[in-house]
C-alpha cells in the first residue's frame, strides 16, 4: 500500500527474475562451450556463495547506509551478472563471474527489500507483506524459468540477456522517476 514497500517488492522480483534466467542458462552455456560437469558444479558453487556468503555484511550495510542504497545497486549487480552470462562468448571465467554477481545482487536486493518492508509495514501486517513479496518473487522465478528456454531456442542467447535487462528496468526506472520526478 505504500511506495517503499511496492519498490521493495518490485526490486526483489527484478533480482529474482535475473537469477532465474541465469540459472536456466549457466549449465547450458558452460556445457555448450565444453566445460566438464565438475567445472559447471564449481560455477554453481560460486553462485551460491554470492547468494549466501555475504548476507550478514549486506544486512549490516543496509542498516548503516540505508535500504535503498543496498537494494538498487543489488538489482544493478544482478543485471550485470546476467549480462555476463548472456552477452559474452561463454568463457568459463566470465560466466562464473556472472553467476556470482547474480547471486550477490540477488542477496543485496533481497536482504534490503525485506528490511525495507519490515521498516514500512505495521507489525500486524508484516508477515502478510513479506508473504506477498515472496509470492511475487516465486511467480517471477517460475515465469522466467518457463520463458528462458523458448526465448533461447527462438532468438538466441543475446535475447535472454535483453530479457534480463527488461526485468531489471522497472525498479530502476521507477526509482529514477521518484528521485528526479
Amino acid at each position: 500500500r505504500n511506495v517503499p514497500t511496492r519498490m521493495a517488492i518490485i526490486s526483489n522480483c527484478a533480482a529474482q527474475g535475473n537469477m532465474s534466467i541465469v540459472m536456466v542458462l549457466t549449465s547450458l552455456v558452460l556445457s555448450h562451450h565444453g566445460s566438464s560437469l565438475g567445472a559447471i558444479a564449481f560455477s554453481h558453487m560460486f553462485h551460491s556463495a554470492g547468494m549466501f556468503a555475504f548476507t550478514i555484511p549486506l544486512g549490516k550495510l543496509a542498516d548503516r547506509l540505508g535500504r535503498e542504497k543496498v537494494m538498487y545497486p543489488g538489482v544493478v549487480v544482478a543485471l550485470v551478472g546476467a549480462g555476463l552470462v548472456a552477452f559474452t562468448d561463454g568463457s568459463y571465467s566470465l560466466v562464473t563471474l556472472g553467476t556470482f554477481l547474480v547471486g550477490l545482487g540477488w542477496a543485496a536486493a533481497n536482504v534490503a527489500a525485506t528490511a525495507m518492508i519490515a521498516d514500512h509495514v505495521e507489525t500486524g501486517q508484516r508477515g502478510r507483506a513479506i508473504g506477498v513479496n515472496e509470492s511475487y518473487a516465486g511467480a517471477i522465478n517460475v515465469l522466467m524459468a518457463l520463458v528462458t528456454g523458448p526465448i533461447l531456442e527462438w532468438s538466441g542467447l543475446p535475447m535472454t540477456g535483453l530479457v534480463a535487462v527488461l526485468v531489471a528496468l522497472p525498479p530502476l526506472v521507477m526509482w529514477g522517476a521518484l528521485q528526479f520526478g
Side-chain angles (χ1 to χ4, degrees):
R1 292 185 184 177
N2 60 53
V3 173
T5 299
R6 211 171 306 133
M7 293 301 295
I9 292 170
I10 292 167
S11 296
N12 191 41
C13 286
Q16 185 71 39
N18 273 310
M19 186 168 66
S20 183
I21 290 168
V22 166
M23 295 322 295
V24 167
L25 294 176
T26 299
S27 297
L28 178 66
V29 169
L30 290 176
S31 177
H32 181 73
H33 286 90
S35 294
S36 69
L37 290 178
I40 293 169
F42 195 71
S43 181
H44 281 278
M45 183 273 307
F46 269 102
H47 170 71
S48 295
M51 286 179 68
F52 300 113
F54 302 100
T55 53
I56 292 172
L58 287 168
K60 289 181 180 181
L61 195 61
D63 287 342
R64 184 178 306 138
L65 298 179
R67 310 320 187 196
E68 291 181 344
K69 290 182 180 175
V70 174
M71 184 173 70
Y72 295 116
V75 172
V76 171
V77 169
L79 172 61
V80 169
L84 282 174
V85 173
F87 293 126
T88 62
D89 62 359
S91 79
Y92 181 81
S93 58
L94 289 176
V95 170
T96 299
L97 175 62
T99 62
F100 173 79
L101 291 175
V102 167
L104 184 63
W106 172 84
N110 189 343
V111 167
T114 302
M116 183 179 275
I117 292 168
D119 290 346
H120 293 281
V121 175
E122 296 294 324
T123 305
Q125 297 296 316
R126 202 169 287 152
R128 182 174 166 208
I130 297 295
V132 167
N133 180 48
E134 293 299 320
S135 294
Y136 280 121
I140 193 83
N141 191 27
V142 170
L143 177 64
M144 291 298 101
L146 286 173
V147 302
T148 299
I151 290 170
L152 182 64
E153 181 68 27
W154 296 328
S155 301
L157 189 58
M159 183 58 77
T160 62
L162 180 60
V163 171
V165 169
L166 294 175
V167 167
L169 282 180
L172 301 175
V173 169
M174 293 168 74
W175 176 79
L178 288 172
Q179 298 302 305
F180 306 111

